[in-house]
Amino acid sequence: MRQWRNKPHCWKVEYYLQHTINQKPSTPPIHYKSFSQIVGLTHQSHSWKACSNPVSKLIGYGKRQLTSLQQQHDSTIYALSTPPGRSAIAIIRISGPACLHIYRGLCPGTPLPKPRYATLRTLYEPKSLLLADPQVLDPNALVLFFPAPKTVTGEDILELHLHGGAAVVKAVLNAIPKSLLPSSQADSHMLRYAEPGEFTRRAFYNDRLDLTQIEALGDTLSAETEQQRRLAVRGATNALAKEYESWRQKLLYARGELEALIDFSEDQHFDESPTRLLSSVATQVEQLRRQMQTNIQNSFRGELLRSGISVALVGAPNAGKSSLLNRIVKREASIVSKQEGTTRDVVEVGVDIGGFYCRFGDLAGLRETSPGGESIGEIEIEGIRRAKIRARNADIIILVLSSEDLRAHGEIHLINAEVEETLRSCNPETQKLVCVINKSDLIQTNIPMSEVYSQFNHHPVLQKHSIKGTFPVFIVSCKEAKASPGADQSDPGAIQTFLQGLTGVFGDMTSAIHPHGQSGDDVDSSPWELSLGASERQRRLLQQCTHFLDTFLDDVRLVNSHDHIDNKDAAAEETDVVLAAENLRSAAECLAKITGRGEAGDVEEVLGVVFEK
């Protein structure tokens, strides 16, 4: 390595581009944290660290794209930051080293704006400046300049706040490429319109945002309900990334202990035997694995908030499923008729209930399709088949019953055979059940409701979906709710009571859980509330991480079991420890990928732990 340090820095970059990318085995590899470090080698000295595959981890850019990436890093980009179309104000954002050149081209003869202060300026067409009557693009534009590095992208940023007319915006966008003065024409090819997401990409390259924050930013822009907004806010800070990094550091430390055992077990004296050391490391890893598993479970709950809670209305024909859906969404979304089998296909409706985005599915009424039952058509049979599939994929099943059908042949009768079969096929571990008795205005006085509730609590199929022996049961009247929507009563038909109870179920399904079943006021729930905001990408990487940790724990258990049975030779024990340490390295790399650090790149960090031991 010494022979390379005395070479000029520009030679180092040339050597890096020509040889390291080609992956020649004899060349010294380089470790870096960001692309800016590679470019900065021509200006200042950097230490050369070992890394197994440095270039391939430029986050979405392959090795063959390094040259184009350098050009993108040096270029200035601009784009319309507000939605296109007519509006009161439109904002054009410019990021890169040519910001002040562009300002001088659009606002000639005016002093530079004070950083981070809005300044009123007149924008001119650059090519018309030599004319007696220069062309004005916008006579009253606000200009803001944000100097690097404390900006959203880490670069100089110039914002132009214009009048939002389409012609004004188009004229200014066309003028920006022409605004560079003759002295800066050499950089004209480096000024271009931004690619989709490029401002955020530069913020990542310049360490202004990590990948978890970027994903949260996407959630913020797409949030439509209050709960989705709160979910996005949880990930807006880097607290979740810090949690992942703390886990990676713990795995790094555990791996360092194993590396010390591998490299120095013959030369150094350890206070603990190899078996006890492995057991100690395994205890730490097991604690981390449980925390990650809790994080994964919470991310599934957060996904319900992000993509919406799927709700299926299940019941017999004419139970009032379509009427209930119409009262929930407050419009005639589904056809209502006294004729059985009106709903043939799944009617999907999205609605915001208490800040939760829900996707309701009004399903075909379930009744017997066998030859022994009532004759029904092929279309309704297909509708029943689709209804059963939709019910099995729902997060919440609302079982709609009609009070007219509660008593059959002198006995309380809750559900028919088709409904019962559908509920049996559903998973009580992942699907919640809510019961709604419709047509409360028709409940007969000779039907004791206490007996009805008893039937609910003792029904063999419904009992599987209960929580602590019970589940929510609501009595509503869609007819009363439609006839007097809030005119004489505060809650006609008890629909609002039902929706409030349903919101409580939503809250239970999407609240953060704690490891070991912890709960109560004395438990700090903030770390686990943050894990609700974990994206699907983060969850998949965490699942890969826990897979490697499970493999590591299995290897340690195997070593311990052999140690108790017989004294194995040192070579066999070392092989097991090496494999165990490799699993920890793979697990740490999964955590590094979550925040965008690519491969773990922790060679010197591991060596530090090794020599400390």
Side-chain angles (χ1 to χ4, degrees):
M1 290 295 292
R2 294 179 180 175
Q3 57 180 321
W4 313 116
R5 291 177 179 170
N6 296 326
K7 300 292 183 180
H9 295 311
C10 58
W11 186 92
K12 291 182 181 179
V13 174
E14 181 182 359
Y15 176 88
Y16 180 86
L17 296 176
Q18 293 180 355
H19 297 279
T20 309
I21 294 178
N22 295 329
Q23 295 294 307
K24 287 189 176 182
S26 60
T27 58
I30 304 171
H31 170 67
Y32 58 90
K33 291 184 178 179
S34 65
F35 176 77
S36 60
Q37 286 188 353
I38 300 175
V39 179
L41 287 175
T42 60
H43 304 291
Q44 58 182 351
S45 175
H46 288 266
S47 60
W48 296 63
K49 302 179 183 180
C51 181
S52 60
N53 190 4
V55 186
S56 64
K57 296 303 176 181
L58 278 172
I59 311 304
Y61 287 88
K63 295 173 289 185
R64 63 185 181 278
Q65 295 176 307
L66 184 59
T67 303
S68 62
L69 187 60
Q70 182 178 358
Q71 294 176 352
Q72 292 179 7
H73 181 85
D74 294 335
S75 63
T76 298
I77 57 175
Y78 66 97
L80 179 65
S81 295
T82 49
R86 187 173 62 181
S87 61
I89 298 174
I91 300 176
I92 295 177
R93 175 175 289 177
I94 307 167
S95 177
C99 283
L100 294 181
H101 294 295
I102 295 173
Y103 170 80
R104 294 186 181 98
L106 295 176
C107 307
T110 59
L112 296 177
K114 185 178 179 180
R116 293 178 170 80
Y117 279 81
T119 306
L120 186 64
R121 289 288 186 266
T122 298
L123 304 184
Y124 293 93
E125 170 65 37
K127 285 190 175 182
S128 68
L129 296 177
L130 299 179
L131 303 178
D133 186 17
Q135 181 182 349
V136 176
L137 301 178
D138 192 332
N140 296 292
L142 286 179
V143 178
L144 292 95
F145 174 65
F146 303 90
K150 295 184 178 180
T151 66
V152 66
T153 62
E155 304 172 332
D156 287 347
I157 284 185
L158 182 67
E159 285 190 359
L160 307 176
H161 295 229
L162 318 171
H163 291 93
V168 175
V169 173
K170 182 178 180 181
V172 175
L173 287 176
N174 291 335
I176 289 177
K178 311 171 188 176
S179 61
L180 292 180
L181 299 176
S183 60
S184 58
Q185 285 299 317
D187 297 329
S188 60
H189 67 284
M190 307 299 284
L191 174 62
R192 57 182 176 80
Y193 201 84
E195 298 176 359
E198 189 168 2
F199 286 95
T200 306
R201 191 187 312 150
R202 292 195 173 198
F204 170 73
Y205 287 148
N206 293 313
D207 294 328
R208 301 301 296 173
L209 295 173
D210 58 52
L211 287 186
T212 60
Q213 291 174 296
I214 292 175
E215 289 172 317
L217 176 61
D219 292 339
T220 301
L221 298 178
S222 61
E224 296 181 354
T225 68
E226 176 62 18
Q227 294 297 331
Q228 289 176 338
R229 183 194 65 80
R230 294 182 182 180
L231 183 70
V233 169
R234 292 189 183 103
T237 65
N238 62 346
L240 196 56
K242 288 181 178 179
E243 182 73 12
Y244 295 143
E245 178 61 19
S246 69
W247 290 346
R248 192 187 76 88
Q249 292 293 334
K250 291 178 181 179
L251 289 178
L252 170 67
Y253 192 84
R255 178 186 164 196
E257 290 185 323
L258 295 185
E259 297 283 357
L261 179 62
I262 295 171
D263 295 338
F264 304 110
S265 58
E266 297 180 356
D267 303 328
Q268 301 292 332
H269 172 71
F270 288 87
D271 295 335
E272 296 178 315
S273 65
T275 302
R276 291 191 62 183
L277 181 60
L278 282 174
S279 299
S280 175
V281 172
T283 301
Q284 302 172 33
V285 171
E286 176 62 29
Q287 293 176 353
L288 280 179
R289 193 197 68 83
R290 285 197 295 265
Q291 293 179 5
M292 293 180 189
Q293 197 62 42
T294 303
N295 189 296
I296 293 172
Q297 294 174 346
N298 284 333
S299 70
F300 278 111
R301 290 177 167 239
E303 190 63 30
L304 295 177
L305 298 174
R306 185 178 293 108
S307 60
I309 302 173
S310 177
V311 183
L313 300 175
V314 177
N318 271 5
K321 301 181 297 298
S322 299
S323 298
L324 181 60
L325 175 65
N326 293 342
R327 302 286 71 78
I328 292 173
V329 301
K330 299 180 180 180
R331 63 183 177 89
E332 299 299 317
S334 187
I335 299 175
V336 177
S337 173
K338 294 182 179 180
Q339 179 181 351
E340 292 187 350
T342 303
T343 303
R344 303 295 181 88
D345 206 347
V346 179
V347 179
E348 295 277 0
V349 181
V351 62
D352 180 351
I353 297 181
F356 296 91
Y357 178 69
C358 310
R359 294 177 285 108
F360 280 86
D362 181 20
L363 313 182
L366 301 179
R367 54 177 171 171
E368 293 182 340
T369 60
S370 60
E374 185 179 349
S375 176
I376 59 177
E378 293 183 359
I379 297 179
E380 187 175 353
I381 292 177
E382 175 63 18
I384 292 176
R385 185 189 70 84
R386 296 187 181 188
K388 292 180 179 180
I389 295 176
R390 177 65 171 81
R392 287 194 291 268
N393 295 329
D395 301 311
I396 295 180
I397 299 173
I398 297 181
L399 176 60
V400 183
L401 308 174
S402 173
S403 62
E404 296 176 301
D405 302 330
L406 286 180
R407 182 175 291 278
H409 307 293
E411 297 181 355
I412 299 296
H413 184 73
L414 295 179
I415 57 178
N416 61 34
E418 286 295 313
V419 175
E420 183 173 327
E421 177 188 349
T422 302
L423 294 179
R424 286 183 185 275
S425 65
C426 296
N427 187 357
E429 298 295 330
T430 58
Q431 295 176 288
K432 304 298 181 182
L433 179 65
V434 176
C435 292
V436 175
I437 301 176
N438 188 27
K439 307 179 183 180
S440 61
D441 53 300
L442 299 179
I443 292 181
Q444 303 175 10
T445 56
N446 59 347
I447 299 180
M449 294 307 298
S450 59
E451 186 176 348
V452 173
Y453 287 123
S454 177
Q455 287 286 337
F456 274 115
N457 294 329
H458 293 87
H459 195 284
V461 177
L462 301 180
Q463 187 65 24
K464 293 182 179 180
H465 292 268
S466 65
I467 301 177
K468 296 181 180 180
T470 185
F471 45 81
V473 178
F474 301 93
I475 302 178
V476 302
S477 174
C478 295
K479 180 179 179 180
E480 291 181 356
K482 182 179 181 181
S484 55
D488 301 326
Q489 307 177 33
S490 59
D491 186 14
I495 296 296
Q496 294 303 317
T497 301
F498 159 66
L499 293 179
Q500 291 174 4
L502 196 59
T503 303
V505 176
F506 295 158
D508 292 339
M509 294 180 62
T510 58
S511 60
I513 58 177
H514 305 84
H516 314 299
Q518 297 176 0
S519 61
D521 298 335
D522 57 337
V523 178
D524 183 12
S525 61
S526 56
W528 312 113
E529 292 286 343
L530 290 173
S531 63
L532 290 173
S535 65
E536 181 181 2
R537 181 191 68 88
Q538 298 171 30
R539 181 174 67 246
R540 290 184 181 276
L541 287 171
L542 283 176
Q543 289 172 333
Q544 294 178 20
C545 181
T546 55
H547 168 73
F548 288 118
L549 296 185
D550 288 336
T551 305
F552 165 80
L553 293 173
D554 291 340
D555 291 342
V556 172
R557 295 188 188 101
L558 183 62
V559 171
N560 290 336
S561 63
H562 287 174
D563 188 70
H564 287 299
I565 295 174
D566 193 9
N567 290 325
K568 55 186 181 302
D569 57 43
E573 180 178 350
E574 181 178 351
T575 302
D576 289 333
V577 175
V578 169
L579 293 176
E582 178 63 19
N583 284 317
L584 291 186
R585 186 199 65 80
S586 299
E589 182 177 339
C590 292
L591 294 176
K593 289 178 180 178
I594 293 180
T595 56
R597 293 188 59 173
E599 289 190 345
D602 54 9
V603 175
E604 287 197 353
E605 296 178 69
V606 172
L607 290 178
V609 176
V610 168
F611 288 116
E612 179 183 335
K613 288 291 181 181

